[in-house]
Amino acid sequence: MSHTLYETTVQRVQRCELAVPGSNPGMFEKALNSGVDFVFLDLEDAVAPDDKVQARKNVIQALNDLDWKGHGITVSVRINGLDTQYMVRDVVDLVEQAGSKIDTLLIPKAGVYADVYMVEAMVTQLEKQQGLTNRIGLEALIETALGMANVEDIARHGATGRLEALHFGVADYAASNRARTTNIGGLNPDYPGDQWHFAISRMIVACRAYGLRPIDGPFGDIKDPDGYALAAKRAAALGCEGKWAIHPTQIELANDVFTPPEREIEKAKRILAALKEAAAQGKGAAALDGRLIDAASERMANNVVKIADAIAVKNGRR
């Protein structure tokens, strides 16, 4: 193992993240009672230009008036892009008027680390100005060719500050690369496999190398639960911790995929017990169910147990 190690910056349960348009306050209460791990109140793509200012006011009111933490929900806000006239006022108004209620800010279309740095510098100054005791985290969407080309640099430098997670924004990524797609997050039958595999895998590697959470983005066809579940399973197989939901019906699907099944948890615990017993006998490996297990098996088993424990704590079972 290298002497250079980046531990996970902030651990959060993020099996599913529900996107909620800031211009539609009627959806806030429904999101609050949806049972989702994470909600991001959206000021960017889901809000028309003429509604941006009112959406920001709606979100600030929702942050202050609704008991997100009491419902076990981590709450984020997706701000507008750095190339718009809305971003500065988004950050300033959110932190000044509701900073104590925000867990993270989600930065769209991050192309270079400087994009993250700009928001981080603003948040740091505003936290000091407001005397906030909570630390607002940052998350960034990798959804352009430029962002993917710089994903390792964004992760490496961002991990030393407020950056907690990277999200794969498949829709804008497809547009940026002029990729042919028939459904947001879906598969093109002309491609022999999953055309998003390389990109999301690259983002995941950058996240895991530098202690960030990798999150898969949206699946556009809300009438195709099987397609959503398969996309989530592919992301989970690669190492993602969760996936977006653009409709409440997708929440249960994501939670099911990204929650370790009981049989997997029990096997992980058996692996840890067998290796502990082997270590007591001076052995570095053991046999379990006719298969060799070793230190790598222990690391994988620990990952499963940690995730299961975090979910149990969130659900109030511990």
Side-chain angles (χ1 to χ4, degrees):
M1 185 71 77
S2 170
H3 283 289
T4 302
L5 296 174
Y6 292 81
E7 299 295 335
T8 301
T9 53
V10 179
Q11 187 68 55
R12 301 184 192 269
V13 177
Q14 200 166 357
R15 295 168 297 176
C16 186
E17 181 152 359
L18 180 64
V20 182
S23 54
N24 192 345
M27 296 180 67
F28 296 164
E29 286 275 3
K30 294 178 181 178
L32 188 72
N33 295 293
S34 66
V36 76
D37 295 331
F38 238 83
V39 163
F40 81 81
L41 305 175
D42 193 12
L43 298 178
E44 197 221 10
D45 278 356
V47 179
D50 289 345
D51 296 330
K52 296 285 189 183
V53 173
Q54 185 58 50
R56 187 190 302 134
K57 294 177 181 178
N58 295 342
V59 166
I60 290 170
Q61 183 174 352
L63 289 168
N64 286 319
D65 292 353
L66 300 180
D67 185 14
W68 300 98
K69 285 183 173 56
H71 285 74
I73 293 175
T74 302
V75 64
S76 179
V77 181
R78 178 163 69 167
I79 60 174
N80 283 285
L82 274 67
D83 60 333
T84 73
Q85 71 269 37
Y86 307 107
M87 184 278 294
V88 170
R89 186 50 57 188
D90 284 347
V91 177
V92 172
D93 286 3
L94 285 165
V95 179
E96 283 188 344
Q97 299 178 39
S100 64
K101 306 296 179 64
I102 299 170
D103 292 302
T104 70
L105 295 178
L106 178 57
I107 304 168
K109 300 177 181 66
V112 294
Y113 167 64
D115 296 338
V116 177
Y117 180 82
M118 180 178 181
V119 179
E120 177 155 8
M122 291 179 65
V123 171
T124 298
Q125 291 294 316
L126 288 162
E127 279 186 355
K128 291 178 181 178
Q129 170 192 296
Q130 297 302 113
L132 298 179
T133 56
N134 59 302
R135 179 180 170 87
I136 298 171
L138 297 180
E139 302 177 77
L141 267 156
I142 304 300
E143 52 184 337
T144 63
L146 181 64
M148 192 60 70
N150 290 305
V151 66
E152 290 87 2
D153 190 61
I154 291 169
R156 179 172 64 253
H157 292 294
T160 61
R162 296 176 183 269
L163 193 63
E164 298 182 8
L166 297 179
H167 299 236
F168 180 52
V170 65
D172 278 298
Y173 184 76
S176 179
N177 282 279
R178 301 183 186 179
R180 294 183 176 181
T181 178
T182 56
N183 167 38
I184 294 173
L187 303 182
N188 187 324
D190 293 333
Y191 187 86
D194 182 348
Q195 72 265 41
W196 314 121
H197 181 111
F198 168 77
I200 194 169
S201 182
R202 181 176 178 180
M203 187 197 78
I204 291 167
V205 170
C207 286
R208 295 308 184 189
Y210 298 108
L212 306 177
R213 303 185 305 274
I215 306 298
D216 191 21
F219 185 86
D221 189 350
I222 62 175
K223 296 182 179 179
D224 183 12
D226 292 338
Y228 179 94
L230 287 172
K233 287 176 181 178
R234 291 193 299 271
L238 289 171
C240 275
E241 293 192 13
K243 183 171 178 60
W244 287 17
I246 61 171
H247 190 273
T249 57
Q250 295 178 334
I251 295 172
E252 187 176 349
L253 297 170
N255 284 349
D256 181 62
V257 170
F258 292 99
T259 300
E262 284 299 324
R263 64 181 183 279
E264 189 175 326
I265 298 169
E266 289 306 313
K267 183 175 181 179
K269 291 179 177 179
R270 289 174 59 220
I271 288 172
L272 295 176
L275 288 171
K276 183 177 181 180
E277 182 179 344
Q281 299 172 8
K283 300 176 183 178
L288 182 68
D289 299 334
R291 295 185 179 182
L292 178 71
I293 56 174
D294 57 12
S297 307
E298 182 178 23
R299 287 190 287 272
M300 289 187 287
N302 271 321
N303 287 338
V304 172
V305 172
K306 285 179 181 177
I307 293 170
D309 286 347
I311 293 171
V313 169
K314 178 187 179 299
N315 292 338
R317 296 199 300 268
R318 291 191 182 177

